[in-house]
Amino acid sequence: MRERFRVVGGARLVGEVPVVGAKNSALKLMAVALLAEGRTTLTNMPEIADVRIMAELLRRLGVSVDYDPEAGVAVIDVPASIGHRADYELVRALRASISVLGPLVARVGEADVAVPGGDAIGSRGLDLHAAGLEALGADVRVTHGYLVAKAPRGLRGADIRLDFPSVGATENILMAAVLARGRTTIDNVAREPEIADIAEMLTSMGARITGAGTSCLVVDGVDTLHPTVHRVLPDRVAAGTWAFAAATTCGDIEVVGGVAEHLRSPLQSLAAAGCHVEGTARGFRVAVPEGAGRPTAFDVATLPYPGFPTDLQPFALTYNAVADGSAMVTENLFEARFRTVQELARLGADMQVDGHHVMTHGVPLLSGAPVESSDIRSGAALVIAGLVAEGYTLVSGVHHIDRGYPHFEVGLRSLGADVTREPDEHWYE
Ligand code: UD1
């Protein structure tokens, strides 16, 4: 059944909120587990539908997955022999499924992974993934909608340089290189904390990797890896969401478990805009002192880590929609990632899109209306917009939000917001 959020405007969010394990790490770590025969345990797993889809994908490869969402634990038991096909049905539902590509070629010598279709946030190529695996000696081609990679005699180390620091390509090449013969250097890699998390888990399985978190990874291949127990790192995008929720509603939130260092760019911008940002013993806190007035709008240009994360761009738009003054938001990573703008316009935001820029002019208060979320982040950003809109806002497409924010409304209510989940049925459906 479809659901929507009813968001009552006029909230100032105050209190503390925990951060879950990172979605963008958890899904990849499940793929990492494929590299070793035996039982690997992942803890601090977020309670989201995507983990279930990834679990189903692993099961179809012959792997047993015991996932306890409430405990946040997934036990992945990998047999000696596993399959090599990731079906379109699953890859379409979860684009991150393509992260089984590298592990499967490395472990099985073959991978058939469906090419994901169109994406709500612009086109996202796989050319860098394919080129990296080819450099490692795999034969890669696309047939009948599947990317088929074969390396029957195993992979061999190579010197690879990515044209662009793609997160997914870095991960796939790294996960393949750990079992390749000899040394692989991968230059111009993504430096996201999730990559370091993957490298840490691989190292605990016996992989030999240096340079995680820098722009050059050096991997010395090993023959086999062993299972491990690994704790998923905290979700920096969820933590950043709460930071923006505090700033946008002129509230005061302690993000428990949040890692401020992973959010240096957005937190610096918020501090410069007049928000109080401080590290705490348990995480960090973002507050707008009561009576201080609206914080100021600021320019944002998304960049690969450690730049401003594209996943927080919709929150910067919502923030600027009600901040004091005008600013420019520039999207450099994905095309067409401005769906939030047209919905914010329905709420009375004053912004204009020009190519990959959005010019924003803050208004003191938005005006509640029905809006539609088109992806995880824009959905959550629209809920926050509803909190600073007069009257109430109905945000449909809650299933998108649930993919990144387990029980989002519960967290919001604990901070004083009036947000309820309700059925979203139309007479014409
Ligand atoms: C990951 C994150 C996503 C985040 C993004 C950028 C997951 C599941 N998703 O996505 O939330 O927004 O990083 O921080 O972890 N590109 C190519 N060819 C390639 C690979 C990428 O042209 O072979 C382009 C894409 O079209 C896109 C850009 O590079 O424009 C960034 O993509 P990438 O860094 O690979 O992001 P994802 O791994 O897809």
Side-chain angles (χ1 to χ4, degrees), residues 20-60:
V20 294
K23 170 181 89 76
N24 287 353
S25 218
L27 301 169
K28 322 299 175 58
L29 299 176
M30 294 175 80
V32 168
L34 292 172
L35 286 162
E37 180 185 342
R39 276 164 72 100
T40 281
T41 303
L42 294 172
T43 63
N44 200 32
M45 293 287 281
E47 195 181 344
I48 51 173
D50 287 9
V51 172
R52 287 181 208 281
I53 301 174
M54 194 65 173
E56 176 59 24
L57 194 146
L58 297 192
R59 287 189 192 107
R60 291 195 195 177

Side-chain angles (χ1 to χ4, degrees), residues 121-124 302 310-311 331-337 356:
I121 49 171
S123 65
R124 296 159 83 170
T302 66
T310 176
D311 290 347
E331 175 56 57
N332 290 313
L333 269 76
F334 292 107
E335 307 153 31
R337 206 181 208 188
H356 64 127

Side-chain angles (χ1 to χ4, degrees), residues 178 199 201-209 219-222 224-226:
V178 289
M201 174 165 164
L202 285 167
T203 303
S204 78
M205 295 165 80
R208 293 167 58 203
I209 302 164
V219 184
D220 284 302
V222 295
T224 53
L225 296 172
H226 53 76

Side-chain angles (χ1 to χ4, degrees), residues 1 34 44 72 79 168 196 199 218 231 236 279 289 297 348 353 359 380 423:
M1 193 212 340
L34 292 172
N44 200 32
V218 179
R231 183 177 167 81
R236 68 193 159 95
V353 180
M359 196 67 210

